[in-house]
Amino acid sequence: MLDSIFSGRSEMSSVSCIICPRNEGHKCSTKRTSVFGAVYKFDPKVQKVADLDVVDWNKVVGVHWAAGGPGNAGVSLVETENGMLVLKQGSNNATSQYFAQLLGRKLGLELPKTVVLSTKELNDIIAILNESNWSNTQDQLIRLHKLRLFSPCVMMEFLPGIALDKIPGDQLSEIFKKFPDIPRQIGGILAFDVIVNNWDRLPLIWSNEGNLGNLIINLETGIVHGIDQQLTGINNEEQTNRYLERVKAVMLETESKDSVGEHFLNIQKCFEDSASYLLTTEELLSMQSGVHERFTRIKEILVGGCLEELKSQVLSDYNDKERGHRCELQLIDLDFMTKRFLKFIVDNNTPLRIIVRKKKK
């Protein structure tokens, strides 16, 4: 992808560098203009999204590190002349996050496109970003060092919009009135969260306060995006049964078109506590409807055998020997989805009833 990036650039020095790969020579320009030169001024109102398939890394405008996420690892927002994109460092659960990302997009959810970077691609990008202007030059060296240290890293589609936890309650009320489809969209994301046991968003069947920061609303279009989702398997039999009983209860609640289910009152409390906004009965019912609609789509996809295809893609994209074993261990949790969840739907004879055909031995 980046083979021709360095054509026409200055001759590289052999001086060691904490940014460049050890024992691979110094790839950075000896002139660190980004550290001592102009400071990039990040504009949070930037709406242009870079196409990840045709990123021109020779035209980087600047880089801004944004805090947040597990361990406050944050992300690096890179503005190119073609638009904005996101670089995110790797983590121990990176493969389960990547799998959830692929599955969610397969289900039609508005999740950011994600590309896993190879070691060579990452090295080339780091060398370029080391010569680019940053909004805070003190962030530069440590963030680039961590991108290399916690690899494999991913390049993600930038989502123009604002996180729900950053919107005051009175403004949120106006946004929901302007885009009445938002609760139904959130319901669709909730159904997906239930399938992959993604507990760090809204407390539908989980005992936590919720995290509205993992929902982003595009204020121009009203589209709701999910971020930071991951697959969390349950290997304990007793815990699995308890979890599936909660899933069953939610499924039954979504059948009603005029009564708000008990689990959805947890969502109402989350919005009231975190955003000072009390969801109306109409909005909660719309959310329930969104859950029910998405469950129907989910069962069609899961029975179609796409999970193993997605698993193969994840293994292929994380194909380094040191990473492949870790990836395989995490994806064993697919059994929770393919065997337990689908069997559960059939056994409980829900309106989403499906037929699971056993493979011939």
Side-chain angles (χ1 to χ4, degrees):
M1 182 176 82
L2 305 172
D3 291 341
S4 61
I5 276 183
F6 294 102
S7 59
R9 298 174 73 88
S10 60
E11 183 178 352
M12 301 302 173
S13 166
S14 60
V15 179
S16 62
C17 174
I18 66 168
I19 299 301
C20 294
R22 188 175 298 176
N23 301 324
E24 290 188 20
H26 183 58
K27 289 189 174 182
C28 303
S29 169
T30 55
K31 294 182 179 181
R32 303 295 173 82
T33 55
S34 57
V35 176
F36 303 106
V39 175
Y40 167 63
K41 294 183 179 180
F42 172 68
D43 182 3
K45 296 181 181 179
V46 172
Q47 297 290 308
K48 190 175 181 181
V49 180
D51 183 346
L52 300 189
D53 295 326
V54 290
V55 177
D56 188 347
W57 287 99
N58 284 311
K59 298 181 179 179
V60 174
V61 177
V63 188
H64 173 74
W65 179 75
N72 201 30
V75 295
S76 295
L77 305 177
V78 182
E79 183 180 356
T80 72
E81 290 188 4
N82 306 113
M84 190 78 75
L85 60 87
V86 179
L87 290 178
K88 184 176 181 181
Q89 70 185 45
S91 64
N92 290 334
N93 56 4
T95 49
S96 59
Q97 290 179 349
Y98 185 48
F99 177 86
Q101 201 87 336
L102 294 176
L103 177 60
R105 288 175 61 85
K106 183 79 172 180
L107 296 172
L109 295 174
E110 295 291 342
L111 309 184
K113 180 180 179 180
T114 303
V115 176
V116 181
L117 296 172
S118 69
T119 301
K120 181 184 183 305
E121 290 171 337
L122 179 62
N123 290 342
D124 288 347
I125 289 173
I126 286 177
I128 289 174
L129 297 188
N130 189 48
E131 299 178 32
S132 303
N133 294 322
W134 285 60
S135 59
N136 186 340
T137 55
Q138 293 179 347
D139 286 334
Q140 182 174 352
L141 292 181
I142 186 63
R143 297 306 160 194
L144 293 179
H145 179 62
K146 285 190 173 183
L147 279 176
R148 182 181 309 290
L149 184 63
F150 297 100
S151 62
C153 300
V154 295
M155 178 171 62
M156 302 174 63
E157 188 177 25
F158 175 71
L159 300 177
I162 184 170
L164 271 176
D165 64 341
K166 304 298 184 184
I167 306 176
D170 56 341
Q171 294 183 24
L172 199 56
S173 174
E174 294 303 315
I175 293 171
F176 274 50
K177 290 178 181 177
K178 181 178 180 181
F179 302 107
D181 189 53
I182 285 178
R184 188 191 63 82
Q185 293 182 64
I186 294 176
I189 294 175
L190 276 172
F192 166 71
D193 287 344
V194 168
I195 297 295
V196 297
N197 190 18
N198 180 52
W199 52 269
D200 189 25
R201 186 152 24 225
L202 293 174
L204 182 65
I205 58 175
W206 302 276
S207 300
N208 56 50
E209 296 179 354
N211 182 3
L212 294 180
N214 282 339
L215 287 171
I216 293 179
I217 294 181
N218 186 316
L219 300 182
E220 299 295 324
T221 64
I223 294 177
V224 182
H225 302 274
I227 62 171
D228 289 348
Q229 39 274 321
Q230 72 177 63
L231 167 67
T232 307
I234 305 175
N235 297 318
N236 180 279
E237 188 75 13
E238 183 179 351
Q239 292 178 359
T240 299
N241 291 333
R242 288 203 301 266
Y243 183 83
L244 293 179
E245 283 302 314
R246 293 198 295 271
V247 175
K248 177 182 178 180
V250 167
M251 284 181 165
L252 293 175
E253 290 175 358
T254 62
E255 293 182 40
S256 176
K257 296 183 179 180
D258 53 17
S259 177
V260 176
E262 179 181 349
H263 288 85
F264 289 86
L265 295 178
N266 297 335
I267 308 299
Q268 186 181 51
K269 187 176 187 306
C270 172
F271 270 79
E272 185 175 14
D273 294 344
S274 302
S276 299
Y277 177 67
L278 186 66
L279 290 166
T280 67
T281 298
E282 182 180 1
E283 289 165 346
L284 289 169
L285 290 175
S286 176
M287 197 175 295
Q288 283 186 188
S289 175
V291 172
H292 192 276
E293 291 174 7
R294 188 61 59 176
F295 265 135
T296 303
R297 174 64 175 154
I298 286 172
K299 64 99 176 179
E300 293 172 353
I301 294 293
L302 294 188
V303 175
C306 81
L307 293 180
E308 288 299 327
E309 295 176 7
L310 294 180
K311 176 180 176 179
S312 297
Q313 180 177 344
V314 173
L315 290 171
S316 174
D317 290 346
Y318 283 83
N319 59 5
D320 286 3
K321 292 181 179 179
E322 294 180 358
R323 296 179 291 195
H325 182 59
R326 182 177 64 196
C327 176
E328 184 66 37
L329 288 176
Q330 291 186 17
L331 289 177
I332 288 176
D333 292 339
L334 276 182
D335 287 347
F336 170 70
M337 300 173 62
T338 56
K339 296 179 181 178
R340 297 305 306 274
F341 191 84
L342 294 182
K343 182 177 183 301
F344 161 79
I345 293 178
V346 174
D347 289 349
N348 284 279
N349 201 24
T350 70
L352 305 176
R353 182 168 185 175
I354 54 179
I355 298 174
V356 181
R357 293 181 175 85
K358 295 183 180 181
K359 293 182 178 180
K360 295 181 180 180
K361 295 183 178 180

